[in-house]
Amino acid sequence: MPDPSNPDDYDARIAAVGGIDLFLLASGAGDGHIAFNPPGSARDSRTRVVALAEQTRRDNLATFPDFRGIDEVPSHGVTIGIASIAELSKSVAMIAWGEGKRHACERMSGATAYDATWPATIAAECRAAELHIDAAAAGRLGARP
């Protein structure tokens, strides 16, 4: 895990062991955050402490049922950066599952390059990237899983 007091060390530790063989990505349903990289994250961003976007916090409220309300969801987090994901990963797979990810599927299936308004689009630039969409969502999008 990255140390919030020294987030730069995380990228160096990953590089020292030869990188990440397979990075599993999941797009935030409401805003396309990837890890905790909010919309507007720079393509060259590295592991760092970030303020969590309101939509990211709401997405996590739905993802983690132990949170009883938005006030229990952390306001900050440590995230691996966009450049860190792209440069330190040998391959990536994007997983999108369920009706709640429909908008994310639509944004990802049309991506050809990184779009800072939807950070999960970094997958479009990664080597050996795959996009996995559940069959029900794929049928509604006219795509094949």
Side-chain angles (χ1 to χ4, degrees), residues 13-81:
R13 287 187 292 141
I14 293 170
V17 297
I20 299 167
D21 291 332
L22 174 62
F23 199 118
L24 295 176
L25 303 171
S27 174
D31 64 1
H33 68 270
I34 193 80
F36 285 134
N37 291 284
S41 292
R43 168 61 177 80
D44 63 353
S45 63
R46 297 286 175 184
T47 300
R48 66 206 184 283
V49 175
V50 296
L52 301 182
E54 182 70 18
Q55 185 62 53
T56 300
R57 293 179 72 222
R58 291 199 181 284
D59 287 348
N60 278 281
L61 181 61
T63 302
F64 299 100
D66 288 345
F67 292 132
R68 293 174 296 194
I70 194 72
D71 292 341
E72 292 186 5
V73 180
S75 61
H76 288 76
V78 180
T79 188
I80 188 167

